[in-house]
Structures are given as C-alpha cells and as structure tokens.
Amino acid sequence: MVKKIQLPLQTASLVVGFMVWVILSSLMPFMKESLSLEQGQIAWITAIPVLLGSLLRIPVGYLANRYGARLLFAISFLILLVPVYYISEATSAADLMIGGLFLGISGAVFSVGVTSLPKYYPKEKLGSVNGIYGMGNIGTAISSFGAPVIASYWGWSATVQLYMVLLAGFAALNLLLGDKAEPRVTVSLKEQIKSVYKNERLWFLSLFYFVTFGSFVAFTVYLPNFLVAHFELDKVDAGLRTAGFIVLATLARPIGGWLGDRWDSFKVLMVVFTGMTAAGILLSFSLSIHLYTVGCLVIAACAGIGNGAVFKLVPMYFSKQAGIVNGIVSAMGGLGGFFPPLMLTLLFNLTGHYAIGFMALSQVALCCFIIVMWMYYQDRLTLALSIVENTVEAIVVTDKKGTITFVNPAFEQVTGYKKEEVIGKNPSILKSGKQDRAFYDRMWKAIEEQGYWAGEIWNKRKDNGLFLEWLTISAIRNDVGEVKYYAGMFSDVTQQRAEKASG
C-alpha cells in the first residue's frame, strides 16, 4: 500500500514545491509597486530562485538516492519555512534576493521524485510515470493565477505567509506516508559523477532539458511582469495567461512521457525542437498579443512534451546512476530558466526589443534538432553493430574488390583467425580446395543476377582443419544500385552433417 501512494504523494509534494518556487515572479507586479523596484532588480529577484533551485538539484538527486524521498521532501519543506517568512517581511530588493536565494530549495525538490519513483516501476512505464510526476509543474500555474487574486484582497505579504501552512502540512504528510523502506544507493557522490561525466549522452540530454524545461521556467518567470509592462495587461489577467501557459506545458508533459513509452523518444524530440524553432521565429516578429499568444502556446506544448520525452531517455541510459544523472540533467534544465530572463532584459535595454532573444531560442532549438537526429541514427548504428557482434553466426564483410573490412567475434571462433589476421586480406585464405572453379563461377553468377547466394561449402580453419559451413553471401548496394560491399554469414554444420549421415 505504501509503495502505491508514492506517485500521488510525491507528485502533490512537487506541486507544493513549485508553488513556492515561483512566489516572487507570481507576485512581482505587487512587490514592484510596494517596494519601488527597478527593472534590473526585478530580473535578478525572479532569476535568483531559479539559479539555486537548479544547482541544488545535483546534490538533492544524490541525497534522494541515499536517504529516500520521505526525508528529502520533509526536511526541504521544513527548511523553506524560514525564507518564505523572511520574504513576507521584506522591505527592500536586497531582502527579496536573500530570501529568493534560499527559496531555490523548493525548485531543487524536483530531483527527489525523478530519482525515487523509478525504483517502483518497470522501465517500459518510466516515461509515463515521470510524465505524471512532472505534472507537479502545475504548482507554478496555481501560484501564477491564485497568488495575484489573493494578493489583490489580502496583500502580497499575507499571501506569502499562506504558503507556510502548505509547507508544514506536506512536511508532515511525507513523514507519515513516505516509504521508510525505499531502496538506498550508497555509492559516493564522487564515484557516481566519475562514472558518468565522460558520457556524451549525459551532456546531450542535459542540453535538451536545458532548452525544454528552461523555456518552461523562463516563460513562467518572465511572463507575468512582461505582459503587464509590454502589453499593459491587468495584473490578474497577466497571471491568468501565465497560468494558461503553465497548464498547457504541464498537461503536455505526461503526453511526452507516454509518447516516449509508445514510440521512439528521439522522434518525439525531433518534432518538439522543430516546433520550438518555428515558435521562436514567430515570437521574434510578433507585433500583436494574438500572435504572441500563439507563439507562447506552441512553446508551452513543445516544452511540456519535450520534458517528458527527455526523462524517458535518462533511465534507459543510466539505470545505475539515476540519482546523480537526474540531478545533473534537471539542474541544467533549471539553469536554462535562469539565463533567458536576464538576457532578454539586457537585450531590451540595448536594442529596445526582444527579437534577438527569441531568435536565439529558435536557433538553439534548431541545433538540438540536429543533435537529436545524429543521436537517433547513432543509436540505430550501435544497435545494428551490437546485433552483429553478438550473433552466433560468423559474419565477414568485404569491399567490392573482395578485401575483408570486417569480421565479428563468431568468425574468430569458427575459423580460428583473429580479426587482425584477416582484415585487408581476401576470403580465399579460407579455401579448402574441395570446390572447383566452376562451383565459384556459379556462386558469383547467382550473386550478380539474384543479389545473393546460399548453400553448403567446405572451408579451412587456421589450423588447416576442414569444416562444412552453411553460407549466405549478399551483395550490399547503394542508393543507385551499385555494389559497395559483400556480406557473408555462415555457421559450422559439420557435426550436424555427420549426425545425419550416421543416423
């Protein structure tokens, strides 16, 4: 029973964490008026929680693996009571920055669930599970919409203090209902990082999440104040529109995980980055709130689907280092939300518009699309090579002149020749002398006319012992029909022939 409630419990805990994480950006229009904040100060105040929330995801992912989600959620929420109260009593931009720095803990708790929940489910369901957990992003929508409404009646300070009740309640819930027997991983942080940091897949997945989750966080943080300042919308209206962005991205996340379970996650990411490239270009040239809304909604859908697809790939490649890899990847995603608001503010101050920033987003998404394409075909090649390397049939590949270019381990076992001894030579080194010239003429004529030949043939091992093999030779052609290689697949059938003859 305890294991079954971990997914809803941890998802609800993430909702609370994300609600707290965006307190400052959700209430910024109110704080700006009350504390007379400047635009540069606003950019830093809203970005600082994202920074610490990103960097802390690495140690939090490790600690979740070591001590379990129950303790990590509970302790994090209890610690957060202090900065939340401090923010509610803030009287300056400096107070908001100090409180916001520690507020980042609430964003770091994302690493807890993505590390803990895969321990309870098989790999084929992890995309959907992580997608459901990722719906905890809805917490940002709740704050973006709900906090301004409450603040318009009670004031922003009292609204912030209401979050303390949620934090205390969910700290207690995790202590009571969390899994005390969650499997632990005790490998040191240093050893886990050492085992993964050279793996290029880690950094590619981090880049993908930097763009997808980073876009989600950046737009969540930047939209409320931007819509008020740039389009002169009402504060509550801006909050509602931001909430709509968050809801769409959140609902799209489990769809991305489900699509990753059902189809190839790389194909899903190809569509995601194509959409983000087009949306970034649209946002660069949008002149009206309507076009801007379309661009934002496309970003929301693509970011949500991409978030789910990326975390389907993580446990597939790093099942033994899930904690630290989840922490690194999710940290990069958070950092992807830290820099854009600052860059957009800087570019606006320099140029008077945001076009360059949105165009940069489209170009980074295009680069990700190219990398995803490369990884997709690289994986297919790796799979094909793995099949060839592990098949029990011996395989030899020659160029069109008959020079051996590749042999698999089974070839070495059957013939006794090492790879280094045959690469660059002709397969005639295996000839037994038991077939005449007419036999080989008929074989090559069949290959030329039909594209393949199959039959029995006697060949010679390195130790000069003869063996009977069943051989299939196929001509490998390019797109224009020219023969580029010949592939031979054979197995030793000497014993089977002997048993058949004696029977």
Side-chain angles (χ1 to χ4, degrees), residues 225-245:
N225 191 61
F226 173 81
L227 292 175
V228 172
H230 189 72
F231 290 109
E232 299 181 352
L233 298 182
D234 176 77
K235 298 184 188 72
V236 175
D237 185 17
L240 180 59
R241 290 173 183 267
T242 302
F245 174 92

Side-chain angles (χ1 to χ4, degrees), residues 3 18 25 56 75 93 144 162 186 195 240 254 286 298 359 379 424:
K3 293 181 179 180
F18 272 59
S25 60
L56 279 179
I75 292 173
S144 295
L162 286 176
T186 57
S195 68
L240 180 59
S286 63
V298 172
M359 187 60 74
D379 259 29

Side-chain angles (χ1 to χ4, degrees), residues 389-419:
E389 291 283 351
N390 292 285
T391 186
V392 295
E393 285 82 13
I395 295 176
V396 56
V397 179
T398 74
D399 60 23
K400 62 181 181 181
K401 295 181 180 180
T403 302
I404 297 175
T405 60
F406 172 85
V407 295
N408 70 342
F411 176 93
E412 299 180 2
Q413 294 173 7
V414 174
T415 67
Y417 284 101
K418 297 295 184 184
K419 177 172 65 175

Side-chain angles (χ1 to χ4, degrees), residues 6 10 64 67-74 112-113 116 174 179 182:
Q6 294 313 299
Q10 293 186 32
Y67 299 106
R70 172 177 172 269
L71 286 178
L72 262 292
F73 273 122
V112 178
S116 171
N174 275 280
D179 185 6
E182 179 181 327

Side-chain angles (χ1 to χ4, degrees), residues 140-364:
T140 57
I142 296 172
S143 281
S144 295
F145 174 65
V149 174
I150 297 173
S152 64
Y153 291 100
W154 292 1
W156 66 264
S157 181
T159 303
V160 171
Q161 291 180 6
L162 286 176
Y163 284 84
M164 297 174 66
V165 178
L166 276 174
L167 288 169
F170 271 83
L173 275 177
N174 275 280
L175 288 173
L176 290 172
L177 303 177
D179 185 6
K180 297 179 182 178
E182 179 181 327
R184 307 289 200 266
V185 176
T186 57
V187 180
S188 71
L189 179 62
K190 180 180 178 181
E191 287 299 314
Q192 289 195 46
I193 292 177
K194 188 177 179 181
S195 68
V196 300
Y197 81 95
K198 291 183 179 180
N199 192 321
E200 63 186 18
R201 290 191 182 96
L202 167 62
W203 304 112
F204 286 145
L205 294 177
S206 296
L207 173 62
F208 301 156
Y209 204 60
F210 181 92
V211 175
T212 58
F213 187 74
S215 297
F216 168 78
V217 174
F219 275 76
T220 299
V221 168
Y222 135 96
L223 277 177
N225 191 61
F226 173 81
L227 292 175
V228 172
H230 189 72
F231 290 109
E232 299 181 352
L233 298 182
D234 176 77
K235 298 184 188 72
V236 175
D237 185 17
L240 180 59
R241 290 173 183 267
T242 302
F245 174 92
I246 296 166
V247 168
L248 178 57
T250 301
L251 294 178
R253 184 162 187 147
I255 295 174
W258 177 78
L259 290 173
D261 284 338
R262 190 172 180 84
W263 289 293
D264 194 306
S265 292
F266 287 121
K267 292 181 179 179
V268 176
L269 288 175
M270 288 179 203
V271 176
V272 164
F273 290 123
T274 299
M276 295 189 78
T277 300
I281 294 172
L282 176 62
L283 290 173
S284 300
F285 296 102
S286 63
L287 301 175
S288 68
I289 185 64
H290 304 293
L291 288 175
Y292 192 82
T293 299
V294 171
C296 286
L297 292 179
V298 172
I299 292 289
C302 290
I305 292 172
N307 292 339
V310 169
F311 272 97
K312 165 64 179 179
L313 291 171
V314 170
M316 287 177 59
Y317 290 127
F318 302 99
S319 58
K320 295 182 180 179
Q321 306 95 356
I324 190 64
V325 172
N326 281 324
I328 293 172
V329 172
S330 57
M332 291 301 291
L335 290 175
F338 172 74
F339 293 106
L342 297 177
M343 289 177 60
L344 285 169
T345 301
L346 175 62
L347 289 169
F348 183 80
N349 291 336
L350 292 174
T351 65
H353 54 76
Y354 297 96
I356 297 175
F358 290 124
M359 187 60 74
L361 169 63
S362 73
Q363 297 311 298
V364 172

